[in-house]
Amino acid sequence: MSATRIELEPQLSVQPSSEPEPERRLQPPPLFQLPLPTQDPSEIHQQTQLQPELQSESNPEHQAKPVWINHRRQLLFFLFGFSLCAAILGIIYYMHQNLQNRSNNQADTETPCLSPACQWASTHLFMSADPFMQPCDYFLFTCGSDGLSPDSGGRQRGQGIPGHPQNQKENAVWPERRGRSKERQDRGQRKEKILDRKTVLLQYLREILESNDRPGSTAVQKAKGFYHSCLDTKSIETAGAEPFLTLIQQLGGWAVSGQWNQTDLNSTLSLLMRDYATFPFFNLYVGKDPNEIARGTTKRYIQIDQPDLLIPIEWNSKTQKSQAKTQTLRPFLTSCQRYLALLGAPPSRSMIHVGTFISLSSELAVASAPLHYRLSKGQLYQRMTIKELQSQAPAIDWLGCLQATFHPLPLIEDDHVLLHNLPYIVQMSRIIGKWLNKHELSTSAPLHTFMVLNLLHTMMPALDSRFSETANNLSVALGNTEGVAPRWKHCVLETERGFDLVLRDLLSERTAHREAEEIIQNIFSSFKSKLRELKWTDQKSLQVVMKKVQSLIPRLWTTKEVSSEAELDLLFSKVTVSTHSFFSNYVQLLSLWQKRRSQLLTELTEAADILSVTPFLLGYELLVPMGMFVPHLFHPTYPRAMNYGAMGFLIAKDILHLILPDIYSQSETVHAVGECVWAHYLTVTEKAGRGGVFSLSAAQQQEVWVQYSALQIALQAYHQSLKNHPSDTSISGLSHTRLFLTSFSQVNCDSDPYSELMPLEPSFLITVICAKSDLCPTSLQCLNKTQPHPLQTC
């Protein structure tokens, strides 16, 4: 027994040998003999055992050992064996977990997407901040910030709210930001870096107008020619004010220039309304009567409203009347004088005409009223015949002006119109009559000047930069801090005004209808499932909401019948686009715009608005516009994870806002989820040194619930899509869930009317939703902070 035991033990001599052993001293100890890289670990272990065995046999004097040494060797051997087993078990567990993770990752990534759109998306994702790489910092930064360094700038959402965690110790956290104008920096960064969905759509339309993929129809070529003439600022600057002065002469001259044939007020007004879409004394548009929509009536009416007066107006809540802003009269006067100077008016005459223009504008301003006041007084959608309107406001030839505007439609005195401020219309007629009867002035010269300056305002987009700079200076003096839109955006919007039918068909051709319809249906189905999960205050509220939801038919808002190239060419056959005269092109655009207004009176269906980017309800239909489904927010070749993470979230958020505007008062879940998400946020921000607590308002809790629920709805819809169609591609090797959440992080700062109610960065919702450990591919725990306990699932 003892011999067997000694053979298995390593050589651990504690007594010096009686004789020198030169051969043994020249050999390194077996423990320090390094194995070859190709050797198997089991062979190495056998070698370390074999050498002591041979040595013990060659030295019989070492076989007799004290008992306590043998027990110690047994203990060491036991510990060694136990450690070796533990290490082997650890290696086996690690390899098992690694293989399982690889298996899960392979099952969740499938094949890479290699389309041009995906290649662009891959580059974009690579250059953007990754919420999974820096989870502690990502959600604390302003929306659209590309970097996560202190120098990236920008104001955190919630700054300025008393007690908000991000207001605490701001200078201590980012000392580099001291002395900066944070508000100005924030505005600039948001406008530059955040592409809201409207801007994304306009950029896509820009690409269409600038593309040379195919010649296209004549109508398409004219639309592109109009757009490019708008971009030709050199020709516009060279023309100066001359095109507008020529237009004034065609209309009978102008008293300011000294050459005016004293045209009749109503004849001039009819021309401005018909050919130049200019409405100085009142506004005109076409629309339905909301009182008839409930009965399913599709008839449209001419609607008459108060005008958009050029003079700045403010509402006096004490007198319940509007008035011109006293503090803005001087800059407004300066701008009017500048316009007349640009049009060549002699200084001796311009002051008189500017004075009468401001006086007349002030009188009309007093008669106007803001929308909330008119709503409270029931002044909207007042129905009357044209004949009845003529008796109440006789200064305007209503039938003649309306017939000229909506030519060739036959209008008669018994046709009904809808008014939105009858008291203003009546008072406007009295003011015009008073100015016509003033003997100290040359007949209707002030009224004519008023119409000419309104026409100038209409034509301003087609004039040289001196006019736009004057308008911008006035805007800044009035306190407007928004910058000037880039020229391309201005030109896209102007092109759409006249060539909306052309752009609508071009957009429809490029829209992935099947993929868009699929995501709409899946999101709406997931939305209905979310409603059933809510805890309602009473069953009646649930029944009312569910009845409304069940009756809705969600679909992509497209044109029922796409116009053929021949039809569009015929429609725009009389339009002649000049390459270097944007002014003449713009005049034709205004005429086209007015013709489209006339066509609306007879159309039975709701024409798709290509500039619409939010869903809306029309009867029993929930219509999602085509303008939402454009790159980079959506593309048919993207992995579905990307489309659902971005577009799915936006659609779900819009539906929640549209159908459940006051859900907070109807469901206990809204309060609970809002508080839960907020608790997550406070836990992490307090750990990050941003102490301070304040309670969320009901509106803030609802918005937190809306955005968190929208993310859940989109994710559930995506998972359902995977069940129906298991295969999906990937980008940059990201797993499906991670790609979904990363795609969401690119659009989580989408601007809408409710965005100001969100008390935290929407990207933080990724951290909250990942609190469910089996959902996200990686943990979002802070590396430099330890959490006392796992956060609960909201």
Side-chain angles (χ1 to χ4, degrees):
M1 292 292 292
S2 62
T4 305
R5 186 184 70 245
I6 294 173
E7 288 174 0
L8 295 175
E9 292 172 359
Q11 176 73 20
L12 292 173
S13 176
V14 295
Q15 295 179 350
S17 175
S18 58
E19 297 180 3
E21 299 179 283
E23 295 82 8
R24 289 174 58 188
R25 283 196 299 268
L26 294 175
Q27 297 175 357
L31 197 61
F32 293 95
Q33 288 183 353
L34 301 177
L36 295 175
T38 57
Q39 280 185 291
D40 186 80
S42 60
E43 296 177 359
I44 299 170
H45 182 63
Q46 291 175 1
Q47 290 175 3
T48 58
Q49 288 180 336
L50 182 60
Q51 290 180 5
E53 178 182 341
L54 294 175
Q55 292 170 357
S56 62
E57 291 178 353
S58 61
N59 295 280
E61 66 272 17
H62 290 277
Q63 293 183 6
K65 305 293 181 182
V67 176
W68 67 272
I69 293 179
N70 292 336
H71 284 295
R72 188 181 70 172
R73 290 176 176 176
Q74 288 180 351
L75 178 61
L76 291 174
F77 178 75
F78 174 77
L79 293 175
F80 175 77
F82 179 79
S83 301
L84 184 62
C85 291
I88 293 174
L89 290 174
I91 293 174
I92 293 174
Y93 176 79
Y94 172 79
M95 293 177 64
H96 173 74
Q97 290 295 107
N98 190 42
L99 289 174
Q100 186 176 16
N101 290 339
R102 287 186 180 182
S103 175
N104 292 340
N105 191 55
Q106 288 174 357
D108 201 25
T109 53
E110 298 298 336
T111 56
C113 178
L114 302 177
S115 69
C118 286
Q119 292 176 11
W120 178 92
S122 178
T123 304
H124 181 72
L125 292 178
F126 176 77
M127 297 175 61
S128 302
D130 186 353
F132 288 89
M133 297 302 294
Q134 294 170 285
C136 308
D137 299 326
Y138 180 82
F139 61 86
L140 295 178
F141 282 77
T142 285
C143 291
S145 177
D146 287 336
L148 293 179
S149 65
D151 292 330
S152 63
R155 173 179 60 87
Q156 279 86 18
R157 187 186 301 274
Q159 186 179 29
I161 302 175
H164 193 279
Q166 292 174 352
N167 292 330
Q168 308 286 333
K169 306 177 183 177
E170 181 70 19
N171 290 334
V173 177
W174 303 127
E176 296 89 341
R177 294 185 185 178
R178 292 173 183 171
R180 295 183 183 179
S181 177
K182 296 173 69 62
E183 290 294 336
R184 183 177 68 250
Q185 186 178 4
D186 175 57
R187 283 194 299 268
Q189 285 205 349
R190 289 186 68 89
K191 289 182 72 65
E192 180 182 354
K193 294 183 178 179
I194 299 177
L195 294 181
D196 58 82
R197 51 180 113 171
K198 186 63 172 286
T199 303
V200 170
L201 171 60
L202 293 178
Q203 283 188 340
Y204 188 61
L205 294 176
R206 175 191 184 182
E207 293 175 7
I208 293 176
L209 290 170
E210 294 180 355
S211 65
N212 295 317
D213 49 356
R214 58 188 179 90
S217 65
T218 304
V220 171
Q221 293 176 14
K222 289 179 179 179
K224 292 183 176 181
F226 177 91
Y227 170 76
H228 286 289
S229 71
C230 177
L231 291 177
D232 184 11
T233 55
K234 182 179 180 180
S235 297
I236 297 174
E237 294 296 322
T238 302
E242 193 60 34
F244 184 75
L245 293 173
T246 302
L247 177 61
I248 293 177
Q249 294 304 314
Q250 294 173 356
L251 294 175
W254 186 19
V256 176
S257 63
Q259 298 178 351
W260 178 44
N261 60 11
Q262 299 189 14
T263 51
D264 175 68
L265 179 139
N266 278 290
S267 62
T268 303
L269 181 60
S270 297
L271 285 174
L272 295 183
M273 294 169 63
R274 184 192 68 188
D275 296 334
Y276 307 103
T278 299
F279 308 94
F281 301 109
F282 51 87
N283 250 336
L284 278 188
Y285 54 92
V286 174
K288 298 178 182 178
D289 185 349
N291 299 318
E292 295 182 350
I293 292 178
R295 300 194 296 267
T297 304
T298 59
K299 181 177 175 58
R300 293 183 175 87
Y301 297 90
I302 297 173
Q303 311 207 19
I304 304 174
D305 201 352
Q306 64 187 35
D308 299 318
L309 294 171
L310 302 182
I311 191 170
I313 304 172
E314 62 183 352
W315 176 252
N316 191 322
S317 57
K318 293 182 178 179
T319 61
Q320 295 288 289
K321 287 185 178 297
S322 295
Q323 61 188 30
K325 288 185 179 181
T326 306
Q327 66 272 24
T328 62
L329 285 180
R330 182 175 294 276
F332 181 65
L333 172 65
T334 302
S335 66
C336 292
Q337 290 177 314
R338 174 63 175 163
Y339 288 139
L340 293 187
L342 292 175
L343 295 176
S348 58
R349 295 182 184 177
S350 63
M351 193 60 197
I352 298 176
H353 289 280
V354 168
T356 56
F357 171 72
I358 293 179
S359 179
L360 176 56
S361 300
S362 300
E363 290 187 45
L364 293 174
V366 174
S368 65
L371 180 61
H372 69 84
Y373 178 81
R374 288 180 282 155
L375 279 170
S376 65
K377 296 298 182 180
Q379 295 177 353
L380 302 184
Y381 300 101
Q382 289 184 262
R383 181 190 298 265
M384 63 174 54
T385 63
I386 298 176
K387 185 177 181 179
E388 291 170 337
L389 176 60
Q390 187 67 54
S391 64
Q392 297 217 36
I396 302 295
D397 178 13
W398 292 103
L399 182 60
C401 287
L402 294 178
Q403 285 177 336
T405 303
F406 293 97
H407 179 79
L409 297 180
L411 294 177
I412 59 176
E413 289 183 331
D414 293 331
D415 285 331
H416 285 89
V417 293
L418 301 180
L419 284 91
H420 298 280
N421 191 350
L422 181 59
Y424 167 83
I425 298 298
V426 172
Q427 184 63 18
M428 175 267 298
S429 177
R430 293 172 182 168
I431 293 172
I432 290 177
K434 183 186 71 172
W435 281 84
L436 283 173
N437 295 325
K438 281 189 176 183
H439 299 290
E440 66 272 17
L441 296 172
S442 175
T443 60
S444 59
L447 295 170
H448 187 75
T449 296
F450 185 86
M451 290 189 288
V452 169
L453 288 180
N454 273 270
L455 176 62
L456 175 65
H457 183 75
T458 301
M459 301 303 302
M460 199 91 74
L463 295 173
D464 66 84
S465 59
R466 297 173 301 168
F467 292 90
S468 58
E469 287 173 0
T470 303
N472 292 334
N473 291 337
L474 175 61
S475 179
V476 172
L478 298 179
N480 187 1
T481 57
E482 294 185 7
V484 180
R487 184 69 185 179
W488 70 263
K489 183 180 291 186
H490 163 77
C491 292
V492 170
L493 291 172
E494 296 299 345
T495 305
E496 190 275 336
R497 291 176 67 190
F499 297 89
D500 60 326
L501 295 178
V502 176
L503 291 183
R504 187 183 66 190
D505 285 359
L506 290 175
L507 181 63
S508 181
E509 289 176 2
R510 290 163 171 76
T511 300
H513 293 249
R514 182 176 58 84
E515 290 82 356
E517 286 283 4
E518 178 183 343
I519 195 172
I520 291 171
Q521 298 299 328
N522 288 341
I523 290 294
F524 191 71
S525 176
S526 182
F527 162 72
K528 291 190 291 186
S529 299
K530 172 61 68 175
L531 292 183
R532 299 186 186 98
E533 299 174 3
L534 300 179
K535 293 181 180 179
W536 295 83
T537 54
D538 56 78
Q539 287 300 313
K540 184 178 180 180
S541 299
L542 173 61
Q543 292 172 0
V544 171
V545 172
M546 291 306 297
K547 183 179 179 181
K548 176 182 180 181
V549 171
Q550 295 294 350
S551 65
L552 292 178
I553 304 173
R555 70 174 180 87
L556 181 67
W557 189 27
T558 58
T559 305
K560 300 277 181 160
E561 297 179 359
V562 178
S563 304
S564 66
E565 290 188 356
E567 291 173 331
L568 289 176
D569 289 347
L570 179 62
L571 182 63
F572 293 93
S573 59
K574 295 182 179 180
V575 177
T576 303
V577 175
S578 173
T579 307
H580 301 294
S581 179
F582 179 59
F583 188 90
S584 64
N585 295 340
Y586 192 77
V587 169
Q588 294 182 81
L589 175 145
L590 295 175
S591 179
L592 286 173
W593 192 27
Q594 191 52 43
K595 288 179 180 179
R596 287 290 299 135
R597 194 194 304 263
S598 302
Q599 293 173 358
L600 287 176
L601 271 179
T602 58
E603 289 182 354
L604 300 178
T605 59
E606 195 76 25
D609 179 9
I610 67 168
L611 295 183
S612 178
V613 290
T614 54
F616 71 101
L617 296 174
L618 183 64
Y620 292 108
E621 289 187 311
L622 172 63
L623 300 178
V624 183
M626 293 184 295
M628 294 186 70
F629 298 92
V630 298
H632 61 86
L633 295 177
F634 178 90
H635 197 275
T637 67
Y638 281 168
R640 278 173 292 148
M642 280 197 67
N643 284 333
Y644 277 85
M647 189 50 55
F649 166 76
L650 294 179
I651 295 174
K653 185 176 69 166
D654 290 341
I655 291 177
L656 288 168
H657 280 144
L658 186 64
I659 299 180
L660 303 174
D662 55 350
I663 185 62
Y664 182 85
S665 61
Q666 300 174 355
S667 173
E668 302 173 0
T669 308
V670 177
H671 170 80
V673 171
E675 287 298 316
C676 178
V677 173
W678 186 240
H680 277 254
Y681 184 72
L682 289 180
T683 299
V684 178
T685 51
E686 286 173 351
K687 294 290 181 182
R690 291 173 169 84
V693 179
F694 76 97
S695 299
L696 298 183
S697 66
Q700 287 175 319
Q701 286 185 357
Q702 176 161 318
E703 186 58 24
V704 170
W705 173 83
V706 163
Q707 298 210 27
Y708 183 64
S709 298
L711 184 57
Q712 290 178 313
I713 288 171
L715 186 57
Q716 178 183 338
Y718 173 61
H719 286 160
Q720 185 61 43
S721 173
L722 279 180
K723 289 181 181 179
N724 298 334
H725 310 284
S727 62
D728 192 12
T729 55
S730 179
I731 288 180
S732 301
L734 298 180
S735 66
H736 291 161
T737 302
R738 180 166 179 176
L739 183 58
F740 172 93
L741 294 173
T742 303
S743 179
F744 158 74
S745 72
Q746 304 299 311
V747 299
N748 68 78
C749 294
D750 174 64
S751 59
D752 58 36
Y754 304 90
S755 58
E756 292 302 320
L757 295 174
M758 191 67 175
L760 49 88
E761 291 298 338
S763 55
F764 179 69
L765 299 176
I766 298 176
T767 303
V768 181
I769 208 167
C770 286
K772 188 178 180 181
S773 59
D774 61 338
L775 181 63
C776 296
T778 59
S779 173
L780 291 183
Q781 298 294 325
C782 295
L783 299 178
N784 58 341
K785 301 293 178 182
T786 57
Q787 307 227 350
H789 52 78
L791 296 171
Q792 63 176 342
T793 302
C794 296

